[in-house]
Every structure is written in structure tokens, then in C-alpha cells.
Amino acid sequence: MNFKRIADAGDLKGKTALVRVDFNVPMDKGLVTDDTRLRSAVETVQTLRTQGAKVALLAHFGRPKGKRVAEMSLAPIAGAFAQVLGSNVSFVADCVGDHVKAAIADLQPAGVILLENTRFHAGEETGDMDLAKRIAKLGDIYVNDAFSAAHRRHVSTAVLAELLPAYAGCAMERELDALEKALGNPEKPVLAVVGGAKVSSKIDLLKNLVTQVDMLAIGGGMANTFLAARGLSVGKSLCEHDLADTAREIETIAKQNGCKILLPVDLVVARDFAANAPHRTCGLDDVADDEMILDAGPQTVAALTAAMDSARTLVWNGPLGAFELTPFDTATVAAAKAAAARAKAGKLVAVAGGGDTVAALNHAGVADDFTFVSTAGGAFLEWMEGKPLPGVDALKA
């Protein structure tokens, strides 16, 4: 994938960069409770500042649906980002208009200003060209550093790239480079691990992956649906019995494409969905009617780590069991640690993404050892599904 980077932008001294960032951060009583997304924007902002550019930040917060909602103003985030950046960050209460242009003009070289929530304008989410033209007048170049919003064709995520010279920010660059290594042009064999509760939420993902990877390991609640489709009893486990035909179809597509599907070979079951509930490990044909499958067993973990040993690339989305509850986090933690150790040793390119996945890797204490962990959520999933991402396509060279 060839896309334009800040390094391709040439001389930026005296120019204004409109930079799309993801500042949709968790807040409590006006305070940012997790500044991960703020910190991820620092490298891009500092890169532009050192080249003498003014930086005008574009972002959304919440779902105001085209109206001004006081609780969804970005004003408190300007101060929080200033702390993270270690430098002053101005704020202006709109993202279009002469007063916004004047506020940007008043900035010193390398100055930073945060513009108000782009979603206060209804045209933002509809990709309105008139709004895009008004925002484009504020800057000389456009930089997208918000992969998490790249699956939307909004004004600030894609349409501005049609009006200004457009480049990927540093965080976006890292994301795209990692994704290219994972599925775009990976070193084979490729192993995908997909877990989570429901097949219904990941049908497109599974159907795409079995045409792209050499091995697909399925875990979590969705594995129960595949086991049931094979005629096995899953007791009172979370299971989408109505998707048995879909599961069998996915297995057929996998076989046609030479993709080996790995399902659990042993199970951890309990009668209650609760932390430290009495539990046992059993075979696939030994689940009682009043038991539920809450984790994969040790033989499954061993088979998965063996698959990791034979793979050169790993793409991971979703936990292998009810990892929020001890001890049903055992398989997820063990597999995560195995993948991390191989990645750290340079034996595996390990890329992971999705909210539950990030939480699981953090829980296992190994997120920093993976080759790359995406916090993008929806955009990461749509990329894995093989769907076009407007915000990425707009940056292609």
C-alpha cells in the first residue's frame, strides 16, 4: 500500500496543517480519564511543529448529531492535550468561519490550536462538500492521524483529502505499515485468531479471513456455534444455533481456499457464569446440559501455540474465553503470552486489535511485546473484513 507521509510534504515553514486526530476520549466530570489517544497524537504534532508549521487540530467527541451540545465540547480536552504535549494549546469554539481563521492567524509559528467538535455541523457526517471547502480554507495541507475514524467518509476523515495535499500522520503511518505486514503483504504462513461472543458480529470478518490466511483459530462464544454446527452438544453455553448453516458455509469456504480451521479440542465448563465458579476441564463430547463453556482447555492452548510456532504472521481479534472472569482468562492469557514471546524474539509478526483484544492483552501484561496493537476498533475490524476505508483510500499515493 503506497500512501503519502508527512515526509513527502516538503517545506512546511509558515504553513498551516489541518490535522485530524482522535480525541474521543473517556471523560468524567470534565476530566480525561484515559489519555492514550491524546498521547498517540503527540508525535505527529511535534513533527509538524519542528518543521515550522502551525497545527490546527480537528476532532469529534460523542454523537451530537449536528447540534451544539455543551457536554460534547472539546474545550476541556485542549487543556488535557496541552499537559500531554508540554506546550500551550489554544481553543476556538468552532471549526469554520472568519473568527476561526483569525485565531489560526494569531498563532505563533509552531503554535497549536484545537478546533471545536466537527460533529457540531450536520454536514460532517454526511461528507458535505460545502462544509469541507469552508474548513479547507483554514489550512494549506491536511494530515489524517485518526485511523480509528478512517472507516467513515466524513468531511474531516476523507473529504478534506480531496481539497488539500493530504498525508498520513505518524500514528496513521504506523497503523498502515503494521496492517500491510499483517494481511496486505504478510510473511507466510499466516495465522488468524478470532474470538469473542458472537459469530453474527463477525460473519464478514470470518468469510474474508478464510480466503486470506493459512490457519484460522476460532475461540470464545463463537467457537460454540461452530462446535454445535458439527453436531456437538454445548449445554447452556452462549451459542447461535440459528447460524449453524453459516458456520458450515465458512468451513466450506476455508476448505476451498486451503485454510485450516482450528477449533477447541478441550473445554473448561461451569454451571454458573461467575468468577471462580466451580469448573472442570472436559472433552468436546462431555458437556452436560446444565453446563456452559467458559474457556478453552490446556490442549487447545497447546495446539494454538504449536500453530504459532509454524506461523510467521499472526493477526488477533477477540479473546478465547470469558477473560473478564478468573480463572476463565487462562487460555487467553496463556496464548497471548506465547504470541508475545515469539514476537519479542523476532519469530512472529504479531498484530492485534479491537477493544476486547486490547483489554485482554493488557490484562495478560503483554501488549507492549506484540509487534503492533491497534486501538482503532471499528476501523480495524472493517480492514480485517476486507472493506475499503475511505480515510485510508484518500491518502493513497
Side-chain angles (χ1 to χ4, degrees):
M1 183 194 308
N2 290 319
F3 58 91
K4 293 173 286 184
R5 306 165 190 254
I6 294 174
D8 301 319
D11 184 12
L12 296 178
K13 191 172 183 180
K15 293 186 176 179
T16 297
L18 298 178
V19 182
R20 180 50 157 99
V21 290
D22 181 358
F23 281 1
N24 193 30
V25 293
M27 303 275 288
D28 184 39
K29 297 175 183 175
L31 298 175
V32 175
T33 56
D34 183 344
D35 66 0
T36 302
R37 289 175 170 173
L38 303 186
R39 286 185 282 109
S40 73
V42 169
E43 185 180 356
T44 293
V45 172
Q46 296 292 47
T47 297
L48 292 164
R49 294 178 75 206
T50 57
Q51 295 184 44
K54 295 180 181 182
V55 179
L57 301 170
L58 298 164
H60 77 276
F61 185 75
R63 299 175 183 268
K65 300 189 181 299
K67 297 184 175 64
R68 284 189 169 272
V69 179
E71 297 77 26
M72 296 181 190
S73 172
L74 286 168
I77 296 174
F81 185 58
Q83 283 189 308
V84 170
L85 188 65
S87 182
N88 185 56
V89 176
S90 305
F91 177 77
V92 60
D94 208 339
C95 61
V96 290
D98 290 340
H99 64 296
V100 179
K101 194 171 185 66
I104 294 172
D106 287 343
L107 287 178
Q108 295 295 314
V112 182
I113 188 168
L114 175 61
L115 311 190
E116 183 58 283
N117 194 338
T118 55
R119 289 188 181 177
F120 282 180
H121 293 268
E124 158 71 340
E125 294 188 75
T126 62
D128 180 67
M129 183 56 76
D130 179 60
L131 177 62
K133 287 177 178 177
R134 292 171 66 199
I135 296 177
K137 288 179 181 177
L138 302 173
D140 302 295
I141 68 166
Y142 166 75
V143 177
N144 192 344
D145 209 31
F147 178 78
S148 55
H151 55 315
R152 310 291 187 209
R153 192 183 182 278
H154 293 174
V155 165
S156 68
T157 61
V159 184
L160 282 175
E162 300 171 16
L163 301 173
L164 292 170
Y167 307 94
C170 301
M172 173 76 86
E173 189 176 314
R174 283 194 301 275
E175 189 101 30
L176 297 183
D177 285 341
L179 300 189
E180 182 70 6
K181 282 183 182 177
L183 276 187
N185 186 29
E187 190 174 345
K188 290 181 170 287
V190 182
L191 165 66
V193 175
V194 178
K198 295 183 177 181
V199 171
S200 55
S201 63
K202 296 186 180 180
I203 291 173
D204 290 345
L205 169 63
L206 295 171
K207 285 184 175 178
N208 182 53
L209 284 178
V210 294
T211 69
Q212 302 288 325
V213 305
D214 303 290
M215 299 170 281
L216 172 63
I218 301 173
M222 64 172 56
N224 303 338
T225 301
F226 279 82
L227 293 174
R230 290 185 177 185
L232 293 159
S233 172
V234 295
K236 61 174 185 178
S237 306
L238 177 66
C239 179
E240 294 173 293
H241 293 281
D242 59 324
L243 289 181
D245 286 344
T246 301
R248 286 189 283 267
E249 179 193 0
I250 290 167
E251 293 217 51
T252 299
I253 297 170
K255 193 171 183 179
Q256 291 168 346
N257 285 274
C259 173
K260 182 180 180 182
I261 287 189
L262 307 173
L263 288 174
V265 294
D266 61 341
L267 308 163
V268 178
V269 298
R271 287 182 169 83
D272 299 306
F273 186 80
N276 305 310
H279 58 279
R280 68 187 182 97
T281 301
C282 69
L284 299 182
D285 57 354
D286 190 28
V287 181
D289 290 345
D290 64 346
E291 290 179 319
M292 64 185 83
I293 301 163
L294 294 182
D295 201 10
Q299 292 177 40
T300 302
V301 174
L304 182 52
T305 54
M308 290 178 192
D309 281 335
S310 69
R312 293 295 298 158
T313 303
L314 168 69
V315 187
W316 189 331
N317 173 258
L320 303 178
F323 80 97
E324 307 92 336
L325 307 174
T326 54
F328 308 114
D329 57 347
T330 302
T332 299
V333 169
K337 286 184 174 179
R342 286 156 177 76
K344 195 172 183 180
K347 297 177 181 177
L348 190 68
V349 172
V351 175
D356 283 350
T357 314
V358 176
L361 297 185
N362 285 330
H363 174 67
V366 298
D368 290 343
D369 291 334
F370 267 59
T371 310
F372 186 79
V373 177
S374 173
T375 57
F380 182 84
L381 271 179
E382 291 201 19
W383 166 79
M384 285 184 74
E385 290 167 1
K387 295 177 179 176
L389 303 180
V392 172
D393 290 343
L395 302 174
K396 286 182 178 176

